[in-house]
Amino acid sequence: MKVTVFGIGYVGLVQGAVLASVGHDVVCVDVDEGKVEALKQGDIPIFEPGLTTLVKDNFEAGRLKFTTDAEMAVNHGEFQFVAVGTPPDEDGSADLKYVLSVAETIAEHMQDEKIIINKSTVPVGTADKVASTIASKLEARSKKLSFSVISNPEFLKEGSAVSDCLKPDRIIIGTSDSTSEEKMRELYAPFNRNHDKVIVMDVRSAELTKYAANCMLATKISFMNEMSNLAERLGADIESVRHGIGSDPRIGYQFIYPGCGYGGSCFPKDVQALVKIAGDIDYKSSILEAVEEVNNRQKNKLYEHLSRHYLNKNPSQSLAGKTIAVWGLSFKPNTDDMREASSRVLMESLWQSGAKVQAYDPEAMHESQRIYGQRDDLILSGTKEAALKDADALVICTEWSQFRAPDFELIADSLNEKLIIDGRNMFDPEVMKSKGFDYYGIGRGLSIQR
């Protein structure tokens, strides 16, 4: 089947490559000429396990093409995927200018029937706006062409997006048009063989499902972080509590890991957007507002642990002049995405206090360089061991697997002080105490000190 994908970002590139991998004829279009040319040369702009090989193989096979020619792209595919960004506006709402711009482009060039598929995360009612935009443009062209607008939200997890796309746990199709539904079922048939994963609903319910899913997961994270703060003050260990509640099948173990806050391109933006959507219909979303408040507070936790440690040792001591080693810059493992990452809040707070940072991340070093450029108070180290050299403390922001079993003797020898702030609870506090470290986790009761 012939497919066009507007937007060669995280969602569009993965979706396009995966559809091509099962034999569909896919054209990806973007306004960024540099990105398009780089993809043609095999230069993949994001890190995602398995994506580079998937893109290269299907590009070389001719099933996946990249272009800036919107007219050619529109006339290529019966299916028109809209996978452009919906960045948060100043008031937290999702900015639809790119989505509606694509709708205008499709309407300007289409010559036959099209199925327009909203893959971007968009507010409830966006499909209606897209349909209205296309209808108005066609009327201005004096064209009477049939089209339908479908909501088909993505549920990809950064770090496992290719796998999620190849083996989806559900395929949401928001439409009331039976013909479009059947064509969508045919498009997704290669991913729907084991059992029927397709869930059909009306467009507005599909649009809300995406927001509801992300906001539920964000709520679980903020709830556990709230419990972790209680645990610290009550002398309890949140990891024991996590095991205790996770064993309840009504709760489960997923997304109940306490830490230094969630980040990325989805949870922060989608929580803010749904709060704004609720406000627009005169409904105060108290739970979601609290979710965001807890998360923003939690991102300061690592800095607070550091600052409190030095103040407790010497009330006149500050972080000015200190050098802090930071392991992990991406908002989660297996991605180079630093959007809304806790590491950014930490580093920027350290710099404001006059401290320096020596950082290492397996994949996000170039992204950090892009964000912060050259600065005297940031050293991007080539290895996690190099980041430790002559630092005053180690702070762990991201739970990369290579950080799970480090050489603690080397850490002790490299640091000026045996101090670890663990934002992901990777180590056992009692073990760290036995090794002579001052160790601060998240919600681990009374902080473990020598």
Side-chain angles (χ1 to χ4, degrees):
M1 306 182 82
K2 293 185 179 297
V3 177
T4 296
V5 179
F6 277 87
I8 318 180
Y10 183 83
V11 174
L13 184 58
V14 172
Q15 184 69 71
V18 166
L19 287 171
S21 73
V22 297
H24 294 309
D25 183 2
V26 180
V27 169
C28 293
V29 59
D30 201 286
V31 296
D32 188 334
E33 293 183 9
K35 181 187 291 185
V36 168
E37 288 305 313
L39 283 163
K40 289 178 179 179
Q41 300 302 317
D43 184 6
I44 310 304
I46 57 175
F47 172 74
E48 183 65 37
L51 182 60
T52 297
T53 300
L54 195 70
V55 170
K56 287 182 177 179
D57 288 351
N58 285 283
F59 177 77
E60 291 171 1
R63 293 186 296 268
L64 181 63
K65 305 175 185 69
F66 302 104
T67 185
T68 58
D69 187 341
E71 183 175 1
M72 182 276 285
V74 169
N75 289 311
H76 167 80
E78 177 182 10
F79 299 92
Q80 304 276 314
F81 278 86
V82 181
V84 294
T86 53
D89 218 332
E90 291 182 3
D91 61 359
S93 62
D95 189 343
L96 295 178
K97 64 183 177 184
Y98 301 119
V99 171
L100 298 179
S101 176
V102 169
E104 287 190 353
T105 299
I106 293 171
E108 180 180 352
H109 297 298
M110 63 186 285
Q111 301 296 333
D112 52 17
E113 181 178 329
K114 300 294 180 187
I115 297 176
I116 294 93
I117 304 160
N118 274 339
K119 204 71 181 173
S120 302
T121 301
V122 294
V124 177
T126 297
D128 295 337
K129 293 180 179 180
V130 169
S132 177
T133 299
I134 294 173
S136 296
K137 191 73 174 182
L138 289 175
E139 184 178 358
R141 291 177 58 202
S142 300
K143 291 281 188 178
K144 292 184 178 180
L145 299 172
S146 177
F147 69 93
S148 61
V149 181
I150 290 173
S151 175
N152 176 220
E154 53 84 15
F155 298 96
L156 308 181
K157 300 185 294 293
E158 291 194 46
S160 60
V162 172
S163 176
D164 290 343
C165 207
L166 285 167
K167 299 177 181 178
D169 48 21
R170 76 276 209 196
I171 301 168
I172 303 292
I173 298 175
T175 183
S176 299
D177 180 69
S178 59
T179 301
S180 296
E181 177 191 334
E182 288 306 311
K183 290 184 177 182
M184 290 292 290
R185 285 182 178 275
E186 184 180 355
L187 179 72
Y188 280 119
F191 313 100
N192 195 36
R193 295 173 63 84
N194 188 23
H195 62 277
D196 191 5
K197 303 172 185 176
V198 173
I199 303 172
V200 181
M201 59 185 71
D202 63 275
V203 173
R204 285 179 171 249
S205 295
E207 290 171 332
L208 182 56
T209 295
K210 170 61 176 180
Y211 278 113
N214 279 354
C215 289
M216 171 60 82
L217 297 175
T219 298
K220 292 182 74 173
I221 294 171
S222 279
F223 176 82
M224 283 305 292
N225 284 333
E226 189 86 310
M227 293 300 103
S228 75
N229 291 326
L230 285 174
E232 284 181 6
R233 288 159 176 78
L234 295 170
D237 187 341
I238 194 62
E239 289 299 313
S240 297
V241 175
R242 180 177 66 81
H243 284 290
I245 67 173
S247 59
D248 186 332
R250 296 171 301 175
I251 298 172
Y253 288 102
Q254 289 190 315
F255 285 85
I256 61 168
Y257 288 86
C260 49
Y262 60 75
S265 62
C266 294
F267 288 4
K269 175 174 69 72
D270 292 351
V271 170
Q272 292 171 12
L274 195 51
V275 168
K276 180 61 169 59
I277 290 168
D280 288 344
I281 54 173
D282 297 322
Y283 182 81
K284 179 176 174 59
S285 183
S286 300
I287 289 177
L288 293 182
E289 289 178 4
V291 166
E292 183 178 19
E293 180 186 349
V294 169
N295 190 60
N296 290 337
R297 187 172 65 225
Q298 199 70 12
K299 288 184 178 181
N300 292 301
K301 195 74 179 178
L302 303 178
Y303 178 81
E304 290 171 2
H305 273 325
L306 265 177
S307 181
R308 190 178 301 115
H309 171 83
Y310 288 114
L311 285 174
N312 287 342
K313 289 182 63 177
N314 183 347
S316 63
Q317 192 172 16
S318 71
L319 286 165
K322 299 288 186 184
T323 298
I324 308 300
V326 175
W327 281 4
L329 297 172
S330 58
F331 84 94
K332 64 182 285 189
N334 297 320
T335 181
D336 59 356
D337 193 344
M338 287 181 62
R339 284 174 288 186
E340 302 285 342
S342 300
S343 63
R344 297 179 64 170
V345 176
L346 170 67
M347 291 193 296
E348 289 164 16
S349 296
L350 289 171
W351 293 330
Q352 288 178 2
S353 298
K356 296 182 179 179
V357 173
Q358 295 176 175
Y360 169 75
D361 187 283
E363 295 295 338
M365 304 291 271
H366 290 297
E367 181 65 3
S368 181
Q369 185 79 65
R370 183 191 70 80
I371 294 169
Y372 293 115
Q374 296 286 347
R375 49 186 303 157
D376 294 337
D377 49 10
L378 173 62
I379 296 174
L380 296 173
S381 304
T383 65
K384 64 180 187 292
E385 291 81 12
L388 299 169
K389 186 173 175 58
D390 295 326
D392 295 292
L394 167 63
V395 182
I396 301 172
C397 293
T398 316
E399 65 274 32
W400 285 93
S401 59
Q402 63 176 264
F403 300 158
R404 293 191 179 279
D407 184 339
F408 288 109
E409 288 187 12
L410 185 146
I411 293 175
D413 291 341
S414 300
L415 296 176
N416 294 331
E417 181 180 347
K418 296 172 72 173
L419 171 60
I420 295 178
I421 313 294
D422 182 358
R424 299 299 176 183
N425 287 351
M426 300 186 74
F427 311 130
D428 185 314
E430 292 299 332
V431 171
M432 300 310 296
K433 181 179 180 181
S434 70
K435 294 180 181 295
F437 284 93
D438 287 338
Y439 176 80
Y440 300 82
I442 302 295
R444 307 308 299 267
L446 300 176
S447 299
I448 302 298
Q449 294 179 278
R450 291 173 288 173

